[in-house]
Amino acid sequence: MARNRRDEELILRIARMRYDQKLAQHEIAKQLAVSESTISRALKAAMDLGFVEIQITPYAMRDFELERRLVQRFGLEFAVVVQPRAGAQNAYEILGRAIARTVEDRLTPGTVLGVSDGDTVAAVAAAIRRGKSSDVDVVSLIGGVGAPQIPSHSSEVCRMLAAGLGARAWQLPVPAIVDDVVAARGLLETASVKAVFDLVRRMTVALVGIGSISPRATVFRHGVIDNAYIETIAARGAVGTICGRFFGPDGKPVASEFDERTLSVTLEDLARAPLGIAAALGPNKAPAIRAAIQGRIVNALGTDSDTARALLEG
């Protein structure tokens, strides 16, 4: 028998209550004043209609031995290592889902979650679901990068994470780098920007991408800093970048002429977060990831198996 639109809307509502809000079937039945058997039939119909798909969880794609070795080698709080398989989703999606589940489990009332820009962090934002508490503030760690409609844009990452968690979003409504120091100082004194940076300094969890010194790094790829500067900052010893800040192989900051004009978290403030999670993949990033860990800029890692092996071999 064909279902009418109202039937499908009810089925979708029940599916969302079960899988997005994580309510038990008897709780849904009570709220909607229907029988549990009605809920069971609706959930089966949701599967048949394609509203719900069954997938292998990212937990099943994790390499626990590599995670153990990374934690032991680098003294990490935890490591999440995924093994993308042929025919499965792309590595960013799998890693994003795996990190998202880990982040959700660690959010407690009053958490301030700082987030950067970048493809891997954007994949986490796309996969995030409501955690144990919605009393969470999500705050951007860097001003706008690129066009706002790009998923890896800092404002979009912040918005998506907050929406998925049911949390409060604190976006940073300024460019990542402004034209001169006077303009930067003026913006930092405005009430809206000052409030965001005050929250940044109180963050309890940080989730950041790490870029190598290459055209693929977000800060260069989105045109925040011209690619011609890559050779200059590399010659000064930089091996990686986080939120437009550069660091060397020991994890110590490498000065650039953009520092005083950059509106983003400092590496020092980032390192003060009790939990700092790097979300990055690609063996080419291993030197930058290793430096960020050894310099204690971050103390947890989400990556793929190829990158994990490159880290352990270095």
Side-chain angles (χ1 to χ4, degrees), residues 35-106:
S35 68
E36 287 191 48
S37 60
T38 297
I39 301 302
S40 295
R41 287 194 297 271
L43 293 174
K44 182 181 183 305
M47 200 82 67
D48 295 339
L49 290 166
F51 294 164
V52 175
E53 294 179 350
I54 295 177
Q55 297 179 330
I56 296 174
T57 68
Y59 191 83
M61 295 185 178
R62 286 173 59 175
D63 189 320
F64 298 106
E65 174 59 21
L66 282 175
E67 291 179 5
R68 183 194 64 78
R69 290 173 61 192
L70 285 172
V71 168
Q72 186 176 46
R73 169 82 173 271
F74 296 108
L76 298 171
E77 291 291 324
F78 66 82
V80 174
V81 178
V82 298
Q83 303 180 83
R85 298 169 185 171
Q89 306 102 315
N90 68 56
Y92 285 105
E93 182 180 348
I94 295 169
L95 181 58
R97 290 170 58 208
I99 296 174
R101 301 295 86 80
T102 303
V103 169
E104 291 158 7
D105 288 343
R106 284 166 171 76

Side-chain angles (χ1 to χ4, degrees), residues 100 104 113 115-116 118-130 138-140 148-171 207:
E104 291 158 7
L113 172 61
V115 293
S116 75
D119 293 330
T120 315
V121 179
V124 179
I128 206 75
R129 304 181 306 202
R130 289 182 183 266
V138 180
V139 59
S140 293
Q149 67 270 22
I150 297 173
S152 58
H153 184 282
S154 58
S155 294
E156 184 66 5
V157 170
C158 178
R159 184 195 66 78
M160 286 182 65
L161 267 167
L165 291 168
R168 296 173 289 271
W170 296 75
Q171 297 170 330
L207 174 64

Side-chain angles (χ1 to χ4, degrees), residues 20-273:
D20 287 345
Q21 300 177 33
K22 303 177 185 177
L23 297 178
Q25 290 192 35
H26 72 271
E27 293 176 303
I28 301 172
K30 183 177 180 180
Q31 286 193 29
L32 299 181
V34 298
S35 68
E36 287 191 48
S37 60
T38 297
I39 301 302
S40 295
R41 287 194 297 271
L43 293 174
K44 182 181 183 305
M47 200 82 67
D48 295 339
L49 290 166
F51 294 164
V52 175
E53 294 179 350
I54 295 177
Q55 297 179 330
I56 296 174
T57 68
Y59 191 83
M61 295 185 178
R62 286 173 59 175
D63 189 320
F64 298 106
E65 174 59 21
L66 282 175
E67 291 179 5
R68 183 194 64 78
R69 290 173 61 192
L70 285 172
V71 168
Q72 186 176 46
R73 169 82 173 271
F74 296 108
L76 298 171
E77 291 291 324
F78 66 82
V80 174
V81 178
V82 298
Q83 303 180 83
R85 298 169 185 171
Q89 306 102 315
N90 68 56
Y92 285 105
E93 182 180 348
I94 295 169
L95 181 58
R97 290 170 58 208
I99 296 174
R101 301 295 86 80
T102 303
V103 169
E104 291 158 7
D105 288 343
R106 284 166 171 76
L107 298 180
T108 57
T111 294
V112 177
L113 172 61
V115 293
S116 75
D117 53 356
D119 293 330
T120 315
V121 179
V124 179
I128 206 75
R129 304 181 306 202
R130 289 182 183 266
K132 296 177 180 178
S133 174
S134 59
D135 180 20
V136 172
D137 291 290
V138 180
V139 59
S140 293
L141 296 179
I142 181 171
V145 176
Q149 67 270 22
I150 297 173
S152 58
H153 184 282
S154 58
S155 294
E156 184 66 5
V157 170
C158 178
R159 184 195 66 78
M160 286 182 65
L161 267 167
L165 291 168
R168 296 173 289 271
W170 296 75
Q171 297 170 330
L172 196 50
V174 292
I177 298 177
V178 296
D179 292 337
D180 58 66
V181 175
V182 174
R185 290 172 180 167
L187 285 169
L188 288 170
E189 289 304 314
T190 61
S192 60
V193 175
K194 190 173 185 299
V196 173
F197 276 103
D198 285 345
L199 197 61
V200 166
R201 284 184 282 271
R202 303 202 321 267
M203 70 180 161
T204 51
V205 179
L207 174 64
V208 297
I210 295 180
S212 58
I213 305 303
S214 77
R216 287 295 304 160
T218 302
V219 70
F220 298 116
R221 180 160 49 92
H222 286 172
V224 178
I225 298 176
D226 192 272
N227 282 355
Y229 193 69
I230 292 174
E231 289 186 13
T232 301
I233 199 67
R236 294 179 185 174
V239 299
T241 175
I242 298 175
C243 290
R245 308 289 184 177
F246 298 100
F247 55 92
D250 56 359
K252 296 292 191 295
V254 172
S256 81
E257 42 267 68
F258 303 103
D259 286 344
E260 290 188 89
R261 296 191 281 122
T262 299
L263 298 177
S264 74
V265 65
T266 65
L267 297 179
E268 293 85 354
D269 281 341
L270 182 57
R272 291 189 186 101

